[in-house]
Amino acid sequence: MHFINGKEYKCSVSVTLDIFNDRWKLAIIWYLLEENKRFKDLHKDISEITQKTLTVKLKELEEKNIIHREVFPEVPPKVVYSLTPIGKKLKPVLEEMYKWGMEYIEEYGQLSSDNFCGVDICKK
């Protein structure tokens, strides 16, 4: 058994699934792999997400220590989001998910000329 913040898990996969229980969190991490970003930039990158949902997901990722939120003492306040060291360790996982997704599209879908993810971290 594994315990995190008083919650019991039977295996480490359960921990992972509990943290990344929706598509938005992975999308946020995907775009933060590129560079640190402000809220408005993340919202522009993930245009399908509402501002409210983005706010909630950022807070959840911060609580899980996947991202870091830095507030700069300016007027108006400047807030920048970045990946924590444990968040950065997700890069190879997301790169493999990206590659698998592209292979799946090539096999069963149709490729378009534009890059649907907005960033191609696999070619960095």
Side-chain angles (χ1 to χ4, degrees):
M1 294 289 179
H2 308 287
F3 296 91
I4 298 176
N5 297 326
K7 192 169 181 179
E8 182 180 317
Y9 298 93
K10 291 185 178 181
C11 71
S12 60
V13 173
S14 297
V15 175
T16 305
L17 292 174
D18 190 36
I19 293 172
F20 305 108
N21 57 1
D22 63 60
R23 74 181 194 152
W24 298 122
K25 291 177 185 173
L26 292 175
I28 291 166
I29 294 164
W30 176 262
Y31 286 103
L32 288 176
L33 285 171
E34 184 180 17
E35 64 183 346
N36 300 345
K37 295 189 179 246
R38 296 179 72 170
F39 182 92
K40 66 179 179 137
D41 297 322
L42 279 169
H43 190 253
K44 189 169 105 177
D45 288 340
I46 313 168
S47 58
E48 307 88 20
I49 194 171
T50 65
Q51 288 186 354
K52 181 180 179 182
T53 301
L54 180 57
T55 299
V56 169
K57 299 308 172 186
L58 286 168
K59 191 173 287 189
E60 290 173 3
L61 287 168
E62 185 180 8
E63 288 170 357
K64 300 287 186 181
N65 299 309
I66 305 298
I67 65 168
H68 174 71
R69 179 180 184 265
E70 185 172 2
V71 181
F72 294 89
E74 301 176 5
V75 178
K78 177 181 174 183
V79 179
V80 175
Y81 294 92
S82 60
L83 292 173
T84 61
I86 195 74
K88 289 177 183 176
K89 289 184 177 186
L90 290 164
K91 183 175 182 174
V93 174
L94 289 175
E95 286 175 340
E96 287 303 314
M97 289 175 71
Y98 174 88
K99 290 175 189 175
W100 183 89
M102 291 303 293
E103 289 174 10
Y104 187 86
I105 291 167
E106 290 171 3
E107 182 79 21
Y108 299 105
Q110 185 175 4
L111 288 172
S112 66
S113 59
D114 61 336
N115 186 352
F116 67 95
C117 289
V119 61
D120 190 351
I121 63 171
C122 296
K123 293 185 180 177
K124 285 186 176 179

